[in-house]
Amino acid sequence: MPVPHSKRSDPGDREGNGNRRVFETVADEIRGMIANGQLPVGQALPSETALMEAFQIARPTMREVLRVLESDGLVEVRRGVNGGPVVSSMPLAPVARLVGVHLQARGVTLHDLKDAQSVIEPGAARLASQARSEEDIVQLRELVTEVESCTHIEEFGVLAARFHLLIMKVSGNTTLAMIGELLSTLLPDSYVASLKGTRDGVVRAVIKSAAVWYSQLVDAIEAGDGDAAEQLWARHQHMARFQGAAISGRPELYRLYPRTDRPALVRE
C-alpha cells in the first residue's frame, strides 16, 4: 500500500496550525484512502513501523491512529505473527449504536422513529418494483412465509426488521439500503415495546395482519406496479404506527439501553 510521506510535529501533540491533534489528521488521511478505494476492504496495511515512517509519527501516535480507526469499524487489528491492521467490511452496528444513544438521550419516542420509517419506505417500495429481480422476489416470499408461521412477538420483531430492510435493499439505492440497515438495528425491539403485556390473541392477530400486508406488497413489487407498491406501503405504515400506540395506550420512548441503578458518574 503506497502511503504519503510527510513531515509532522509529534509525539501526538497538536499541529502547528490549529488545535487538531496529529493522530486525528493521520486517521483522516487513512479514512480518505479507504473512502476513495485506495484501501479496499480486506487490504492489509503496512506494518506499524512502516506506517510510522510513512506518516513521520511516533509509535504511541500511530497506535492511537489505529485505535481510532478500529473504534470507527474501519480497521480490524488482527493479532498473532501474521497479524496487523486490515481494512474491515465496515459494519453499520457501531454507527447504529451511536444513533440509538443519540435518539434515547433526546427522549425520542417509537412513534417518532416510525414516522421517519413511514416517510422513507414507501418510496423505497416504488423503486423496488422497478429494480427487483427474480431472486429478490423469492427472498421476499420466503420471509413472508416465515412471518406467517411465527407466533411470538420477539420472533416477529426480528423477521419484520429483516423484511423492511430487504425492501430497502431491493430498491437498488445504496443510500436507502444503508438507512435500512440502521433502522433494522434500531427497530426490532420497538415491536416488543409496542405489544408487551398484550394478550396472545392480539399478538397473533397483529402478526397475521402484517403477513397479509407483506404478501400484498410483494405482489405489487413483483408486478412492477410502483404506484400500488408505494400507496400500499404508505397505508400499512400509517396503520402500523397508530395501531402500536393504540394497543399500548402510551407513547413508548425509544430505549437502546435500560436505566441503571448505579449512581450518576459526576465529577466532584
CSV table of all heavy atoms in Angstrom, one decimal, residues 4-38:
chain,number,residue,atom,x,y,z
A,4,PRO,N,1.5,8.3,1.8
A,4,PRO,CA,2.3,9.5,1.6
A,4,PRO,C,3.3,9.7,2.7
A,4,PRO,O,3.1,9.3,3.8
A,4,PRO,CB,1.2,10.6,1.7
A,4,PRO,CG,0.1,10.0,2.5
A,4,PRO,CD,0.1,8.5,2.2
A,5,HIS,N,4.5,10.3,2.3
A,5,HIS,CA,5.5,10.6,3.3
A,5,HIS,C,5.4,12.1,3.6
A,5,HIS,O,5.4,12.9,2.7
A,5,HIS,CB,6.9,10.3,2.7
A,5,HIS,CG,7.2,8.9,2.7
A,5,HIS,ND1,8.0,8.2,3.6
A,5,HIS,CD2,6.8,7.9,1.9
A,5,HIS,CE1,8.1,6.9,3.4
A,5,HIS,NE2,7.3,6.7,2.3
A,6,SER,N,5.2,12.5,4.8
A,6,SER,CA,5.1,13.9,5.1
A,6,SER,C,5.7,14.1,6.5
A,6,SER,O,5.6,13.3,7.4
A,6,SER,CB,3.6,14.3,5.1
A,6,SER,OG,2.8,13.5,6.0
A,7,LYS,N,6.2,15.3,6.7
A,7,LYS,CA,6.8,15.7,7.9
A,7,LYS,C,5.7,16.2,8.9
A,7,LYS,O,4.9,17.0,8.5
A,7,LYS,CB,7.8,16.8,7.7
A,7,LYS,CG,9.1,16.3,7.0
A,7,LYS,CD,9.9,15.5,8.0
A,7,LYS,CE,11.2,15.0,7.4
A,7,LYS,NZ,12.0,14.2,8.3
A,8,ARG,N,5.7,15.8,10.1
A,8,ARG,CA,4.7,16.2,11.1
A,8,ARG,C,5.4,16.4,12.4
A,8,ARG,O,6.4,15.8,12.8
A,8,ARG,CB,3.7,15.1,11.3
A,8,ARG,CG,2.9,14.7,10.0
A,8,ARG,CD,1.9,13.6,10.3
A,8,ARG,NE,1.4,13.1,9.1
A,8,ARG,CZ,0.4,13.7,8.4
A,8,ARG,NH1,-0.1,14.8,8.8
A,8,ARG,NH2,0.0,13.2,7.3
A,9,SER,N,4.8,17.4,13.2
A,9,SER,CA,5.3,17.5,14.5
A,9,SER,C,4.7,16.4,15.3
A,9,SER,O,3.6,15.9,15.1
A,9,SER,CB,4.8,18.9,15.1
A,9,SER,OG,3.4,18.9,15.0
A,10,ASP,N,5.4,15.9,16.3
A,10,ASP,CA,5.0,14.7,17.1
A,10,ASP,C,5.6,14.9,18.5
A,10,ASP,O,6.4,15.9,18.7
A,10,ASP,CB,5.4,13.4,16.4
A,10,ASP,CG,4.5,12.3,16.7
A,10,ASP,OD1,3.3,12.4,16.7
A,10,ASP,OD2,5.1,11.2,17.0
A,11,PRO,N,5.4,14.1,19.5
A,11,PRO,CA,4.6,12.9,19.5
A,11,PRO,C,3.2,13.2,19.9
A,11,PRO,O,2.9,13.5,21.1
A,11,PRO,CB,5.3,12.0,20.6
A,11,PRO,CG,5.9,13.0,21.5
A,11,PRO,CD,6.2,14.3,20.7
A,12,GLY,N,2.3,13.0,19.0
A,12,GLY,CA,0.8,13.1,19.3
A,12,GLY,C,0.4,14.5,19.8
A,12,GLY,O,-0.7,14.7,20.3
A,13,ASP,N,1.3,15.5,19.6
A,13,ASP,CA,1.0,16.8,20.1
A,13,ASP,C,0.1,17.5,19.0
A,13,ASP,O,-0.2,16.9,18.0
A,13,ASP,CB,2.3,17.6,20.3
A,13,ASP,CG,3.0,17.2,21.5
A,13,ASP,OD1,2.4,16.7,22.4
A,13,ASP,OD2,4.2,17.3,21.6
A,14,ARG,N,-0.2,18.7,19.3
A,14,ARG,CA,-1.0,19.5,18.3
A,14,ARG,C,-0.2,20.0,17.2
A,14,ARG,O,1.0,20.3,17.3
A,14,ARG,CB,-1.7,20.6,19.1
A,14,ARG,CG,-2.6,20.1,20.2
A,14,ARG,CD,-3.4,21.2,20.9
A,14,ARG,NE,-4.1,20.7,22.0
A,14,ARG,CZ,-5.3,20.1,21.9
A,14,ARG,NH1,-5.8,19.9,20.8
A,14,ARG,NH2,-5.9,19.7,23.0
A,15,GLU,N,-0.8,20.1,16.0
A,15,GLU,CA,-0.1,20.6,14.8
A,15,GLU,C,0.1,22.1,15.0
A,15,GLU,O,-0.5,22.8,15.8
A,15,GLU,CB,-1.0,20.3,13.6
A,15,GLU,CG,-1.1,18.9,13.2
A,15,GLU,CD,-1.8,18.7,11.9
A,15,GLU,OE1,-3.0,19.0,11.9
A,15,GLU,OE2,-1.2,18.3,11.0
A,16,GLY,N,1.1,22.6,14.2
A,16,GLY,CA,1.4,24.0,14.3
A,16,GLY,C,0.2,24.9,14.0
A,16,GLY,O,0.2,26.0,14.5
A,17,ASN,N,-0.6,24.5,13.0
A,17,ASN,CA,-1.7,25.3,12.6
A,17,ASN,C,-3.1,24.8,13.1
A,17,ASN,O,-3.6,23.9,12.6
A,17,ASN,CB,-1.8,25.4,11.1
A,17,ASN,CG,-1.8,24.1,10.4
A,17,ASN,OD1,-1.6,23.1,11.1
A,17,ASN,ND2,-2.1,24.0,9.1
A,18,GLY,N,-3.6,25.4,14.2
A,18,GLY,CA,-4.8,25.0,14.7
A,18,GLY,C,-4.7,24.1,15.9
A,18,GLY,O,-3.5,23.8,16.4
A,19,ASN,N,-5.8,23.5,16.4
A,19,ASN,CA,-5.8,22.7,17.6
A,19,ASN,C,-6.0,21.2,17.3
A,19,ASN,O,-6.4,20.5,18.2
A,19,ASN,CB,-6.8,23.2,18.6
A,19,ASN,CG,-6.4,24.6,19.1
A,19,ASN,OD1,-5.3,24.8,19.3
A,19,ASN,ND2,-7.4,25.4,19.4
A,20,ARG,N,-5.9,20.8,16.1
A,20,ARG,CA,-6.2,19.4,15.7
A,20,ARG,C,-5.0,18.5,16.0
A,20,ARG,O,-3.8,18.8,15.6
A,20,ARG,CB,-6.5,19.3,14.2
A,20,ARG,CG,-7.0,18.0,13.7
A,20,ARG,CD,-7.5,18.1,12.3
A,20,ARG,NE,-8.0,16.9,11.8
A,20,ARG,CZ,-9.1,16.3,12.0
A,20,ARG,NH1,-10.0,16.9,12.8
A,20,ARG,NH2,-9.4,15.1,11.5
A,21,ARG,N,-5.2,17.5,16.7
A,21,ARG,CA,-4.1,16.6,17.1
A,21,ARG,C,-3.6,15.8,15.9
A,21,ARG,O,-4.3,15.5,14.9
A,21,ARG,CB,-4.6,15.6,18.2
A,21,ARG,CG,-4.9,16.2,19.5
A,21,ARG,CD,-5.2,15.2,20.6
A,21,ARG,NE,-5.5,15.7,21.9
A,21,ARG,CZ,-4.6,16.1,22.7
A,21,ARG,NH1,-3.3,16.0,22.5
A,21,ARG,NH2,-5.0,16.6,23.9
A,22,VAL,N,-2.3,15.5,15.9
A,22,VAL,CA,-1.7,14.8,14.8
A,22,VAL,C,-2.4,13.5,14.5
A,22,VAL,O,-2.6,13.1,13.3
A,22,VAL,CB,-0.2,14.6,15.1
A,22,VAL,CG1,0.4,13.7,14.1
A,22,VAL,CG2,0.6,15.9,15.2
A,23,PHE,N,-2.7,12.7,15.5
A,23,PHE,CA,-3.3,11.4,15.3
A,23,PHE,C,-4.7,11.5,14.6
A,23,PHE,O,-5.0,10.7,13.8
A,23,PHE,CB,-3.5,10.6,16.6
A,23,PHE,CG,-4.6,10.9,17.5
A,23,PHE,CD1,-5.9,10.4,17.2
A,23,PHE,CD2,-4.4,11.8,18.6
A,23,PHE,CE1,-6.9,10.8,18.1
A,23,PHE,CE2,-5.4,12.1,19.4
A,23,PHE,CZ,-6.7,11.6,19.2
A,24,GLU,N,-5.4,12.6,14.8
A,24,GLU,CA,-6.7,12.8,14.2
A,24,GLU,C,-6.5,13.1,12.7
A,24,GLU,O,-7.2,12.7,11.8
A,24,GLU,CB,-7.4,14.0,14.8
A,24,GLU,CG,-7.9,13.7,16.2
A,24,GLU,CD,-8.4,14.9,17.0
A,24,GLU,OE1,-8.1,16.0,16.6
A,24,GLU,OE2,-9.2,14.7,17.9
A,25,THR,N,-5.4,13.9,12.4
A,25,THR,CA,-5.1,14.2,11.0
A,25,THR,C,-4.7,13.0,10.2
A,25,THR,O,-5.2,12.8,9.1
A,25,THR,CB,-4.0,15.3,10.9
A,25,THR,OG1,-4.4,16.4,11.7
A,25,THR,CG2,-3.7,15.7,9.5
A,26,VAL,N,-3.9,12.2,10.8
A,26,VAL,CA,-3.4,10.9,10.2
A,26,VAL,C,-4.6,10.0,10.0
A,26,VAL,O,-4.8,9.4,8.9
A,26,VAL,CB,-2.3,10.3,11.0
A,26,VAL,CG1,-1.9,8.9,10.3
A,26,VAL,CG2,-1.1,11.2,11.0
A,27,ALA,N,-5.4,9.9,11.0
A,27,ALA,CA,-6.6,9.0,10.9
A,27,ALA,C,-7.5,9.4,9.7
A,27,ALA,O,-8.0,8.6,9.0
A,27,ALA,CB,-7.4,9.0,12.2
A,28,ASP,N,-7.7,10.8,9.6
A,28,ASP,CA,-8.5,11.3,8.5
A,28,ASP,C,-7.9,10.9,7.1
A,28,ASP,O,-8.6,10.7,6.2
A,28,ASP,CB,-8.6,12.8,8.6
A,28,ASP,CG,-10.0,13.2,9.2
A,28,ASP,OD1,-10.8,12.3,9.4
A,28,ASP,OD2,-10.2,14.4,9.4
A,29,GLU,N,-6.5,11.0,7.0
A,29,GLU,CA,-5.9,10.6,5.8
A,29,GLU,C,-6.2,9.2,5.4
A,29,GLU,O,-6.5,8.9,4.2
A,29,GLU,CB,-4.4,10.9,5.9
A,29,GLU,CG,-4.0,12.3,5.8
A,29,GLU,CD,-2.5,12.5,5.7
A,29,GLU,OE1,-1.9,11.8,4.8
A,29,GLU,OE2,-1.9,13.4,6.4
A,30,ILE,N,-6.1,8.3,6.4
A,30,ILE,CA,-6.4,6.9,6.1
A,30,ILE,C,-7.8,6.7,5.8
A,30,ILE,O,-8.2,5.9,4.9
A,30,ILE,CB,-5.9,6.0,7.3
A,30,ILE,CG1,-4.4,6.2,7.5
A,30,ILE,CG2,-6.3,4.6,7.1
A,30,ILE,CD1,-3.8,5.4,8.6
A,31,ARG,N,-8.7,7.4,6.5
A,31,ARG,CA,-10.2,7.3,6.2
A,31,ARG,C,-10.4,7.7,4.8
A,31,ARG,O,-11.2,7.1,4.1
A,31,ARG,CB,-11.0,8.3,7.1
A,31,ARG,CG,-11.1,7.8,8.6
A,31,ARG,CD,-12.1,8.7,9.3
A,31,ARG,NE,-12.1,8.5,10.7
A,31,ARG,CZ,-11.5,9.2,11.6
A,31,ARG,NH1,-10.8,10.3,11.3
A,31,ARG,NH2,-11.6,8.9,12.9
A,32,GLY,N,-9.7,8.8,4.3
A,32,GLY,CA,-9.9,9.2,2.9
A,32,GLY,C,-9.4,8.1,1.9
A,32,GLY,O,-10.0,7.9,0.9
A,33,MET,N,-8.3,7.5,2.3
A,33,MET,CA,-7.8,6.4,1.4
A,33,MET,C,-8.8,5.2,1.3
A,33,MET,O,-9.0,4.6,0.2
A,33,MET,CB,-6.5,5.9,1.9
A,33,MET,CG,-5.4,7.0,1.8
A,33,MET,SD,-3.8,6.5,2.5
A,33,MET,CE,-3.2,5.5,1.2
A,34,ILE,N,-9.5,5.0,2.4
A,34,ILE,CA,-10.5,3.9,2.4
A,34,ILE,C,-11.7,4.3,1.6
A,34,ILE,O,-12.2,3.6,0.8
A,34,ILE,CB,-10.9,3.5,3.9
A,34,ILE,CG1,-9.7,2.9,4.6
A,34,ILE,CG2,-12.1,2.6,3.9
A,34,ILE,CD1,-9.9,2.7,6.1
A,35,ALA,N,-12.1,5.6,1.9
A,35,ALA,CA,-13.3,6.1,1.2
A,35,ALA,C,-13.1,6.2,-0.3
A,35,ALA,O,-14.1,6.0,-1.1
A,35,ALA,CB,-13.7,7.5,1.7
A,36,ASN,N,-11.9,6.5,-0.8
A,36,ASN,CA,-11.6,6.7,-2.2
A,36,ASN,C,-11.2,5.3,-2.9
A,36,ASN,O,-10.9,5.3,-4.1
A,36,ASN,CB,-10.5,7.7,-2.4
A,36,ASN,CG,-10.9,9.1,-2.0
A,36,ASN,OD1,-12.0,9.5,-2.3
A,36,ASN,ND2,-10.0,9.8,-1.3
A,37,GLY,N,-11.3,4.2,-2.1
A,37,GLY,CA,-11.0,2.9,-2.7
A,37,GLY,C,-9.5,2.6,-2.9
A,37,GLY,O,-9.1,1.6,-3.4
A,38,GLN,N,-8.6,3.5,-2.4
A,38,GLN,CA,-7.2,3.2,-2.4
A,38,GLN,C,-6.8,2.1,-1.4
A,38,GLN,O,-5.8,1.4,-1.6
A,38,GLN,CB,-6.4,4.5,-2.0
A,38,GLN,CG,-6.5,5.6,-3.0
A,38,GLN,CD,-6.0,6.9,-2.5
A,38,GLN,OE1,-6.7,7.7,-1.9
A,38,GLN,NE2,-4.7,7.2,-2.7
